Amino acid sequence: MKKSFFILFALVLVLMSCSKSQSTEQNEAEEKISVEESLTESESAPASVSGSTLESEDEYGTPGNRTFAYIRKLASKEKYEKAVENLTQDYLRGRWSVEVISEEMNIIYIAFDDDGTYYWYSPFGGYMGERGKYTLDGNTVTLFYPNDTMSQWEALVFPNGRETTLVYDSRFKDFYCVGVLRNERLILRNWVEETPVGEKCVLKGIDVIKTDEKSVVAKDNLKLRYEPSQKGREGRFWYPMFLRMCLQDELEDSYYAVESSSETINVILKGTRTTYTARTVKEDTIDGITSPWYRICLFDCDGESIAQYFWVFGGYLEDYDEKKLSEYNKSLMNAAIEKKILVIDEDAYRDHLMEESVKRVTPIASKSAEIIHKAGNVAESDDKLEGTIFKIGMTRKEITDLLGDPVQAWDDVSKYWVDFLNILPKAEENSPNAIRYWIDHGGSGFRLMFYFDGDRLKRIETEWEK
């Protein structure tokens, strides 16, 4: 009887222990689900969860408060130095950056967790959509789409509707790193082993040589392309802020200003300094010149400027030479004027014309104008020109050789100098037989007008202005 009692008592203890264990496991499971759900919905999840192995990670892989706090930190560079030969769950775990072979998607991440789920997110906007399922079979990873409807970028990832398969290729040399997950549309990188400079690799499906960053200058206006081919899609670039930065000194000393409303254009302007880090393996021959294509980088220099990449034919690039900087800037300025990105500033142009006209005269020219002015403001014979450098009958060329080019581009000048030049009869303003100068005379000066009969000087008029 006593033996039976002890057996019964032991059985009760076992049942109570099992019941307690099941209850604890259920509570822990429910607690974990509750934590993950709250983290999914929260925009600022805690950096760690008590009693859990879960960690948070910011966009640079360092601990911090993010929507994806439940994603375990990628232990790649701490544990791996080279790409592995065969894909393992441990190597897959964590964050991979994604490049879709399309201009629409360049910056997005995917993170794989140990429980067979993956997560998409942006470094700029956080979580993107629900968690999906994935399977790992050898070197093949298959992603399953979790929703009923697709966004435009999701349709790029899942062209067949419900799933996408990626294959791990340990020997594939992407431009950025060795060993990637990829298919015909996607490349996933975990950045464990970066591709060395000088190696042949693949950049968006193109065979290239990775190079050190090198500065070059455009020797002509070159078409910008998104693919390295004369048939490639044309790229476009917005220049206003770029020109303000590059030509700051030149613009201050000129009468040109940046036309901020100008549109993007499809060329890299002659004289533009840029850099490249990749060139094509294949070479093309254009205009009798054989060269690879170079992937260049441009910044529009606005408040949110980011690198913009284009392909240009290398036959019209030259290595940057700091000693030729002024020459480059002059070429860039002329090219921008030609494309109407730099336009004349009317106030600056008026000041420029005044300065240029004053610079052309000499003391003897000023003395000559004073003599004519004292002789009655008009000279039609040499008897009033004694002591001057001018003589009636001089040719137009002889006058311009003495004084330089006249201030007489009436089509341009008159609209800027309406008041300053309002001394001539309207009928004579556009006369081809008259040229005009401004002669500085100690802060004041003379308006000096030369009239011709054919090619010979017949009369000189002056007017004093204080």
Side-chain angles (χ1 to χ4, degrees), residues 309-338:
Y309 295 98
F310 306 95
W311 290 96
V312 295
F313 179 64
Y316 292 96
L317 296 175
E318 67 176 50
D319 292 345
Y320 174 74
D321 181 352
E322 188 174 359
K323 296 178 181 178
K324 298 170 67 176
L325 179 59
S326 60
E327 178 185 328
Y328 299 144
N329 287 346
K330 183 178 180 180
S331 295
L332 176 57
M333 193 163 181
N334 289 336
I337 292 170
E338 178 187 340

Side-chain angles (χ1 to χ4, degrees), residues 315-446:
Y316 292 96
L317 296 175
E318 67 176 50
D319 292 345
Y320 174 74
D321 181 352
E322 188 174 359
K323 296 178 181 178
K324 298 170 67 176
L325 179 59
S326 60
E327 178 185 328
Y328 299 144
N329 287 346
K330 183 178 180 180
S331 295
L332 176 57
M333 193 163 181
N334 289 336
I337 292 170
E338 178 187 340
K339 294 294 183 181
K340 295 182 171 55
I341 306 172
L342 294 181
V343 295
I344 291 176
D345 177 87
E346 294 188 3
D347 291 337
Y349 187 46
R350 181 181 64 248
D351 295 341
H352 164 77
L353 290 174
M354 292 178 67
E355 290 174 4
E356 288 299 305
S357 64
V358 171
K359 289 177 184 177
R360 295 186 183 113
V361 303
T362 61
I364 192 170
S366 178
K367 180 65 175 178
S368 298
E370 185 179 2
I371 291 172
I372 298 168
H373 185 69
K374 289 181 178 179
N377 301 323
V378 177
E380 296 181 289
S381 63
D382 289 343
D383 62 343
K384 292 186 177 181
L385 295 175
E386 185 177 351
T388 75
I389 59 174
F390 308 118
K391 300 296 177 183
I392 298 300
M394 293 176 73
T395 64
R396 182 185 297 263
K397 183 178 184 305
E398 288 172 329
I399 296 293
T400 56
D401 284 347
L402 284 171
L403 299 178
D405 293 333
V407 181
Q408 69 128 32
W410 299 109
D411 289 342
D412 294 329
V413 176
S414 60
K415 61 186 177 183
Y416 301 120
W417 284 14
V418 173
D419 296 328
F420 187 70
L421 298 178
N422 191 22
I423 62 168
L424 302 175
K426 295 297 182 183
E428 293 183 336
E429 272 194 8
N430 296 308
S431 170
N433 295 322
I435 59 176
R436 183 185 179 284
Y437 290 87
W438 163 256
I439 305 296
D440 181 63
H441 187 78
S444 300
F446 299 96

